[in-house]
Amino acid sequence: MAYAAYVSVRMWLDGEQAVHALPEYSERTGEPCGACHVNPGGGGPRTLRGLLWAARGRPDDVPQLPGMLISPDITDGLELYDIACAGCHGNSGEGLYAIDLAQRGISKAATRSFIRRGIPELGMPVFEGQFTDEQLEALSAFVAELGLGPPLPSEFLLPPAKFACLATAPMSCGGN
């Protein structure tokens, strides 16, 4: 009881809250969970769009962020893929929440179109205006190349991000 009170007060003082994705939000907004959460399956930390959506009182429409780059100054296709795509399509294109891309044979032009316009019926978000032309070219080329061969060997993959949670306040780490 004392620990729960401590955690509640600590979270209130820190301004942190556990974030839980609810399927009804996705259904209500028509957006995949990955539009608002870093984890495309939902839960955990929110993306910038998710934070803005929550700050606006969770309206029926998730705000768009036109012209907001996902990763300014990154121009490497593999790094862009790891930042924007791997959460759904897997670190090596094997598919997690979305289709596998390895050996799929999707052309660079089609990939570019899918990235820009999304595939709403499959839950792929629209990324229009979130990459520069140079970034979009590098990412499209990388995904098209990935589609020609087997999944990436593990030695080419970026190490997973490390998250640190306070042992005294495990609930502040988010979760499902």
Side-chain angles (χ1 to χ4, degrees):
M1 179 73 170
Y3 179 73
Y6 167 78
V7 170
S8 296
V9 169
R10 183 71 191 181
M11 288 172 58
W12 178 74
L13 289 173
D14 291 344
E16 297 177 24
Q17 297 177 354
V19 179
H20 301 280
L22 299 175
E24 59 264 23
Y25 289 146
S26 180
E27 194 173 304
R28 192 178 86 205
T29 63
E31 295 270 1
C33 297
C36 290
H37 293 274
V38 173
N39 177 340
R46 287 191 177 117
T47 62
L48 187 56
R49 286 181 72 201
L51 290 169
L52 185 56
W53 175 77
R56 290 184 174 173
R58 299 182 177 119
D60 287 344
D61 294 320
V62 178
Q64 298 297 319
L65 299 174
M68 180 70 67
L69 297 178
I70 287 178
S71 47
D73 301 327
I74 303 292
T75 56
D76 179 75
L78 173 59
E79 285 186 73
L80 291 166
Y81 177 85
D82 188 55
I83 292 165
C85 310
C88 292
H89 294 286
N91 288 334
S92 60
E94 73 277 13
L96 292 174
Y97 298 98
I99 66 167
D100 61 311
L101 297 173
Q103 298 180 322
R104 184 62 71 153
I106 302 171
S107 72
K108 187 165 97 173
T111 299
R112 184 182 185 98
S113 177
F114 295 148
I115 292 168
R116 291 178 63 217
R117 294 182 180 91
I119 309 173
E121 60 274 7
L122 297 179
M124 181 169 169
V126 173
F127 288 100
E128 181 72 51
Q130 296 181 27
F131 294 106
T132 65
D133 287 339
E134 181 183 8
Q135 289 174 322
L136 191 55
E137 178 66 23
L139 181 56
S140 299
F142 176 80
V143 172
E145 188 175 317
L146 183 63
L148 297 176
L152 290 173
S154 60
E155 65 264 17
F156 292 108
L157 301 177
L158 298 174
K162 294 181 181 178
F163 296 100
C165 296
L166 296 173
T168 57
M171 291 177 63
S172 68
C173 297
N176 292 329

